[in-house]
Every structure is written in C-alpha cells, then in structure tokens.
Amino acid sequence: MPAAIVLSAWLQYAADGKPHARAVVDHAACPSASADGHALPMQRRAGQADGFTDAVCDAPVPAAAKRVRVGERELPAPAHDPKRIVVLGDTGCRLAGPLSSQACDDPAAWPFPLIARAVAAAHPDLIVHVGDYLYRESACPPLVKCAGSPHGDDAPAWFADFLTPAAPLFASAPLVLARGNHEECDRNGTGWFRYFDPHPSTACANETVPYAADFGDLRLVVFDSAVAEDRVPVAGHDAVYRPQFARVRELAQGARTAWFVTHRPPYTNEDERTAMDGALDRFGAVLAGHLHFFAALNVAPPLPPLIVNGEGGTALGPNLAPFLRFATGDVKVVGEVFGSARFGFAVYTREGAGWTISLRDADGSERNRCTLAERTVRC
C-alpha cells in the first residue's frame, strides 16, 4: 500500500492533559511521525465511514519535544510557558436557509480564512478555540455567494468550514479546542468526535468529562457545555453538571492561575449557573464563545470575570454586551460591560502577573485593548 497522503495535521491538547499529534489521511494507513527524530507510532483514531472517505490518526507527543513531524509536515512544538495566547471562537460559515446564510465565498462576509492567516502572523505560543466550528448545515440558497458549498456533518463540509481554512492555525501553534453547541450529536457531532474531541472515544456523547492542561503556571480547565440549555434548565441536567463542576473544582486546585474554558458563557446559562456551586471560585477568568460578539465583564467575588470571544467568522450578532447584566440571574455584574461586534480574534499577552488583551480585526489590526489581572478585566 502506498504511503498515506496527509490531508491535514495539527497538535492539540487531549483529555490526558498532554499534547497529541492528529492527522487526517486519505486511506486507512497512518503516516510516519516523529518527535526530535524519534519515531512516534500513530494509532488509527477513526476509519473511513459514511460521509468520511478519510481516516484519522493520533499519537501522544513528549511534552519536551522541540520538533514534531507528521509525514512531510512539521507541526508546532508543545507549549510550555506561553507568553502570547490567541483566543477565538464561532468560526464557521452559517448556511441556514435564504434569510440566515452567509456568502461563504466572500471574505468580507465570512472572513475566517483571513482571520486564520492573521492569527498565524501574530505568532502565538498557543491557540484556544472556544467552540462552534461547523455552520454549513443546509444547502447554499439561491443568490447567495456560496454556490456549490458542501453542507452537513461530513468530511467535505468539515474541510470547507474548518480543516482547510484553519491550516495557518495548525502550522503556527498547538491548540486547545472546546466543543460548541454546533458540535452536538444531532448536529455535527460525528465529525467533531472523529477529528477533534480530546477524549479517546470517537462515539458521540452529549457530555464529556472536564479535563485540564498545564502551561507553566497557567492551567486551562476545559468544560463541555455543548448541550447545556441557555434559558430553561433541562430536567436531569442538574444531575449531570453538578458532578462535572465538582470535577472542575478539583482540577483547579493547586494551580497558581487557572482559566475556565467553555463554549456557552456559564453566567448566562441556566444549566451551568444552577450547577456551579462555587466550582469557579478559584479561577482567574472564564473564556467562552457562543455569543457572536466580544464581551468582557466582571462579576461579584468570588466569581472570576467573563470574557466572550465569539467574533471568529460566523455571522455577527448586534453588540448586546451591555445587556448581559440582565441575563445573569443571581450572578451580579459589577461595573460597566464592554462589548464589540466586529470580526476578529483576541491576543492575550502576558504582562507581569497579568495579561493584556489585544482585540484584533480580521486583518490583524488592533482596535481595542483590555487588561486581565487580579481576577478583574478592564477595557
């Protein structure tokens, strides 16, 4: 059998907290891989299936590796003490009928490919994606500049919406990936678990176990909120999310600084908010997406500030950040709420004991700046 052709490859942090090399190949055989010249045996994660003519391979990578290769591709090395972290989310091109579709072929209407190149040009040490990768859920409607676009939970749509345009991200830094509601099992869960879920199993599940990854004195705790209900608590979810938040509390222990990474903002989400029970009290910040704008707000201690990074390419919503204080239930918002609704991403740069957050437009130019320090965000 000829050597596998690598269609896409990246380095991501898995649920064991360790860096893993992932590769998508054109047939069942996994490609050769190495770390600092030593062979890495890749294991097949997923074979060919309906809608997916590729295969997916995975291999844990030594944390101290300096040079990682998969086939002929060189991947970024694992992150250790990142000084510059890019955070983005909600990146896919929405195809949802004639009144709710983006012109996926128009960079002004769907700028994620441009954003991915701008992220790479920012030279991050780590990239955090807060969820929602695939929005091409129906056929391109007439008169919209997306003719012939693939759609649905299959390989062509995943390549069109994320795997192909995200190539500059994959080449520039390792990834921490959170699952969004668009990756629910009844939407695009098959592709998510096949390609990107950090857990070993590829069987779609409504909830997965929280996990943590350490980067020097910064710990990221990733929480799967894909099916958490925004407005009305779902019967039975309390029994699911309370033990999950208990696990979150455990994962934060011993960390000098911990950030809670999820998709749905927990303070505006009924399922999460009713189950938190002090689990976030040790965290320095909450990073989320789901809302298609940028927002930064502080809440009454001991809860940490919330930063929403939802401007990555999906059709923007209006800047409703000032109204978030009315959607947080018994979580009290303190001070002003900053918001911005323009396509782009955020660069978090370490400054002493805190971080500067540079809000970038799709071309990488800075439009605003915030600071995150001492469990407070200011913009």
Side-chain angles (χ1 to χ4, degrees):
M1 181 179 290
I5 297 175
V6 178
L7 305 175
S8 184
W10 62 92
L11 192 79
Q12 77 174 85
Y13 281 81
D16 58 7
K18 300 175 182 178
H20 283 233
R22 290 264 174 100
V24 184
V25 294
D26 65 334
H27 58 66
C30 288
S32 61
S34 64
D36 297 332
H38 300 285
L40 291 176
M42 298 202 85
Q43 302 296 322
R44 190 170 71 172
R45 176 176 172 83
Q48 296 177 335
D50 289 346
F52 298 90
T53 59
D54 53 42
V56 185
C57 301
D58 178 277
V61 174
K66 303 296 184 184
R67 189 174 186 187
V68 181
R69 295 187 68 85
V70 172
E72 298 301 316
R73 301 191 185 208
E74 185 155 354
L75 301 186
H80 296 287
D81 185 20
K83 301 295 190 294
R84 178 173 288 196
I85 301 174
V86 163
V87 184
L88 77 166
D90 301 273
T91 52
C93 183
R94 183 184 293 277
L95 292 183
L99 301 180
S100 302
S101 292
Q102 288 173 266
C104 302
D105 300 334
D106 182 352
W110 182 59
F112 176 55
L114 174 61
I115 290 172
R117 294 192 293 272
V119 168
H123 303 294
D125 303 312
L126 181 68
I127 297 170
V128 177
H129 193 302
V130 293
D132 276 5
Y133 308 79
L134 180 57
Y135 279 78
R136 302 184 192 220
E137 296 182 331
S138 63
C140 178
L143 306 180
V144 178
K145 195 175 180 182
C146 55
S149 172
H151 64 279
D153 189 5
D154 57 23
W158 272 98
F159 268 87
D161 234 9
F162 193 70
L163 283 160
T164 296
L169 306 183
F170 298 165
S172 64
L175 309 169
V176 171
L177 304 175
R179 180 186 181 191
N181 61 295
H182 276 256
E183 289 76 57
E184 294 178 23
C185 292
D186 61 356
R187 300 181 85 170
N188 306 302
T190 298
W192 165 257
F193 276 86
R194 177 185 184 84
Y195 295 123
F196 296 114
D197 191 84
H199 300 83
S201 175
T202 59
C204 197
N206 284 335
E207 302 91 10
T208 58
V209 178
Y211 68 96
D214 284 337
F215 302 94
D217 63 359
L218 174 65
R219 179 173 298 168
L220 300 185
V221 176
V222 185
F223 183 86
D224 184 348
S225 59
V227 300
E229 178 54 48
D230 289 329
R231 298 175 183 86
V232 180
V234 174
H237 276 192
D238 186 73
V240 172
Y241 288 119
R242 282 195 182 277
Q244 293 219 6
F245 274 109
R247 178 57 179 157
V248 166
R249 184 185 296 107
E250 294 174 356
L251 291 171
Q253 292 177 358
R256 182 176 175 182
T257 302
W259 292 351
F260 181 75
V261 178
T262 190
H263 180 63
R264 300 179 191 254
Y267 303 155
T268 63
N269 180 274
E270 288 292 330
D271 275 338
E272 292 182 82
R273 190 172 65 236
T274 57
M276 288 190 299
D277 194 25
L280 303 186
D281 292 357
R282 293 177 176 267
F283 286 82
V286 172
L287 306 183
H290 192 49
L291 308 175
H292 298 166
F293 48 79
F294 177 89
L297 59 89
N298 296 297
V299 298
L303 289 171
L306 168 67
I307 305 172
V308 177
N309 300 266
E311 303 177 292
T314 300
L316 296 172
N319 180 10
L320 298 178
F323 299 96
L324 291 181
R325 66 174 61 252
F326 304 110
T328 56
D330 57 356
V331 175
K332 182 181 179 182
V333 175
V334 176
E336 296 299 319
V337 179
F338 176 83
S340 172
R342 289 168 62 172
F343 287 124
F345 58 99
V347 181
Y348 293 57
T349 302
R350 189 188 290 270
E351 300 285 351
W355 298 77
T356 296
I357 305 173
S358 173
L359 302 185
R360 307 287 182 91
D361 283 336
D363 62 359
S365 58
E366 184 177 85
R367 68 173 182 271
N368 289 103
R369 183 167 287 209
C370 307
T371 59
L372 173 63
E374 298 180 346
R375 307 181 85 236
T376 301
V377 63
R378 294 185 176 90
C379 298

